[in-house]
Amino acid sequence: MKLQFSFIIPVYNRPDEIQELLQSFIELETKEDYEIVIVEDGSTIPSKEVAERFNSKLNISYFFKENSGPGDSRNFGMEHAKGNYFIILDSDCILPKNYLTVVSQSLQLEYVDCFGGPDAAHESFSNLQKAINFSMTSFMTTGGIRGNKKSVGMFQPRSFNMGLSKKAFEDSKGFGTIHPGEDPDLSIRLWNLGYKTKLISEAYVFHKRRISWRKFYKQVYKFGMVRPILNNWHPSTKKITYWFPTVFCLGFIGAIFLLFFNIIWGLVAYILYFILAFVIALASTKSVLVAMLSIPAIVVQFIGYGYGFLKSTLALQLSNNDPETVFPELFFKLK
C-alpha cells in the first residue's frame, strides 16, 4: 500500500506557533508527498493569514469551525483530509528535518495502523521548557508509564505526535470528547478492535509544552484527573504505576511527619531521589540551570498529577454518576 500522508493540526489562538511549525515543514528533507490540514477550533486569534503566507510553498487546507475541543477538531480534519494515513500534531511542535522520512521508513518496514513518537527539547527552548520536557519524559518520573515501548501493540501514542490510518480512524470513529485523555482512550479502543500500535523512537518532534509553572501544574493536574476515568472505562489497562505520583506526595508528607519523632530515613530517601534526578538531568541536558529547574518541575508534576489522580479516584468511587456528570469540565459538548 502506498502511503499518502495528511498532517492534521488543530489550533486554538496560537498563530505564532503555527508560523514556527509551518516553517519547519518548509525545511523538511523528504521525497514523500503530503498535505497539511489546519483546523481552527473557534479561535478568536485566527491563524488563517499565517497559513495563507505558506500556501505557495506548502499544500495547505485551512478550515475554521466552532470550538468543540482538540479531539473533535482532529476528527474534523481527518474527515476532510485526502490521504490514507494521518499524522496528528499539536500546534506547539516543530519538526526535525528527517521526520517524515523516518516515519515512512518505519511504516514500510513494520506497518501498524497507529504509531506514536516522542518529544524533545529544541536548543532554542527556554530553560524552563527544557526542564519541563525532562520532567515529562524521564523514566525518573512518569515518562515510562505509557506502555512497553519496545513491544508492538502495547504503546499508547499521544496526540502531539501520533499517526493513524484512515481505516483505523473510520473503524474507531476517532477521538472522544474527553480532554485531556482522548489519545490513550483512542489507543485502547484501537487495541480492542484488533489494531496494533508502536513507538517510532526516531520520529521525535520538538514540543514546547507549557511555558509557566501555573500552566504546567494545570496541565498535569488534568492528566491526573482523567486517568481514573480511563481506568473506569478500560479496567484491563489499570496499572499500579499510575499511583506513583500520589504515593510519592503522601510519602513525602509522611517523611516530614516522622521528623517530629527524630526519624530521618524517610526524608533522606527523598533527598537521595532528587540528587539522582539532578545528576540524570544534568547528564541529559548538559546544563546546571536546567538540571536545577528540573527538580521543581518534578515536584510540580507529582503534586499536580498525584492530587488530580487521588481526587478523581475518590470522586468516582463515591459517586453513582457517570464521569461526564462528575467532571463536566473534562468533556467538550458537541453541538
Side-chain angles (χ1 to χ4, degrees):
M1 179 181 69
K2 179 175 174 54
L3 296 177
Q4 300 168 309
F5 294 105
S6 295
F7 285 89
I8 313 298
I9 308 168
V11 59
Y12 181 72
N13 288 342
R14 295 185 178 185
D16 292 344
E17 292 179 352
I18 287 294
Q19 168 81 27
E20 290 185 291
L21 176 53
L22 292 180
Q23 183 59 44
S24 71
F25 274 103
I26 294 290
E27 298 170 7
L28 274 184
E29 298 175 350
T30 180
K31 297 180 180 179
E32 302 290 338
D33 291 328
Y34 63 90
E35 67 166 339
I36 301 170
V37 180
I38 298 175
V39 182
E40 194 88 61
D41 188 24
S43 300
T44 57
I45 309 175
S47 303
K48 185 176 182 179
E49 291 185 6
V50 175
E52 289 175 345
R53 290 202 295 268
F54 286 86
N55 267 336
S56 61
K57 298 180 180 180
L58 297 170
N59 179 15
I60 300 176
S61 297
Y62 174 89
F63 298 92
F64 186 96
K65 52 177 280 299
E66 291 187 12
N67 179 254
S68 59
D72 185 58
S73 295
R74 297 181 192 112
N75 292 343
F76 181 95
M78 288 185 281
E79 289 168 356
H80 290 81
K82 301 179 180 66
N84 60 13
Y85 207 101
F86 310 127
I87 299 179
I88 302 159
L89 301 172
D90 277 359
S91 62
D92 59 351
C93 291
I94 299 173
L95 297 180
K97 293 180 180 181
N98 66 340
Y99 176 85
L100 192 53
T101 298
V102 168
V103 169
S104 179
Q105 290 176 346
S106 178
L107 291 178
Q108 296 291 348
L109 182 65
E110 184 183 34
Y111 180 83
V112 292
D113 287 277
C114 181
F115 77 86
D119 54 349
H122 193 270
E123 60 182 10
S124 66
F125 288 5
S126 70
N127 289 327
L128 175 58
Q129 288 173 322
K130 292 176 181 177
I132 290 175
N133 180 79
F134 173 81
S135 176
M136 291 292 286
T137 60
S138 174
F139 71 92
M140 290 288 293
T141 58
T142 62
I145 64 175
R146 298 181 197 173
N148 186 342
K149 299 180 181 181
K150 295 182 179 179
S151 298
V152 172
M154 297 303 295
F155 180 71
Q156 294 182 15
R158 293 295 188 266
S159 52
F160 64 80
N161 181 13
M162 180 180 188
L164 184 68
S165 73
K166 182 176 182 179
K167 184 177 185 301
F169 166 65
E170 292 175 342
D171 286 351
S172 66
K173 310 303 181 185
F175 295 94
T177 58
I178 191 172
H179 179 72
E182 69 275 16
D183 31 15
D185 172 59
L186 175 56
S187 297
I188 298 167
R189 289 190 286 110
L190 287 171
W191 295 343
N192 293 338
L193 290 170
Y195 288 100
K196 292 182 178 180
T197 62
K198 74 172 180 179
L199 169 71
I200 304 179
S201 58
E202 299 83 5
Y204 62 88
V205 298
F206 299 113
H207 193 194
K208 285 190 170 182
R209 297 189 180 275
R210 302 307 179 187
I211 58 175
S212 73
W213 293 120
R214 181 182 62 83
K215 290 180 179 179
F216 180 47
Y217 175 84
K218 183 178 180 181
Q219 181 186 50
V220 293
Y221 168 75
K222 286 187 175 181
F223 287 163
M225 290 279 286
V226 301
R227 179 51 66 176
I229 297 175
L230 298 177
N231 290 344
N232 183 276
W233 288 348
H234 311 289
S236 63
T237 64
K238 289 182 180 180
K239 294 180 182 179
I240 192 67
T241 49
Y242 294 136
W243 278 96
F244 178 61
T246 302
V247 173
F248 185 94
C249 295
L250 294 177
F252 184 77
I253 295 173
I256 298 298
F257 177 76
L258 289 175
L259 289 178
F260 291 100
F261 301 93
N262 295 320
I263 301 174
I264 66 170
W265 56 264
L267 187 60
V268 169
Y270 278 87
I271 293 173
L272 292 175
Y273 170 85
F274 285 120
I275 291 174
L276 179 60
F278 174 84
V279 171
I280 293 174
L282 181 61
S284 173
T285 65
K286 307 297 189 295
S287 168
V288 174
L289 182 54
V290 173
M292 292 175 62
L293 288 172
S294 296
I295 302 307
I298 291 173
V299 172
V300 170
Q301 181 187 10
F302 279 0
I303 292 176
Y305 189 103
Y307 172 60
F309 184 90
L310 181 61
K311 177 181 176 180
S312 179
T313 298
L314 294 176
L316 291 174
Q317 289 182 349
L318 297 175
S319 174
N320 293 322
N321 295 319
D322 61 88
E324 190 167 357
T325 301
V326 180
F327 300 115
E329 69 276 13
L330 298 177
F331 293 84
F332 278 90
K333 299 290 186 181
L334 299 183
K335 297 180 180 179

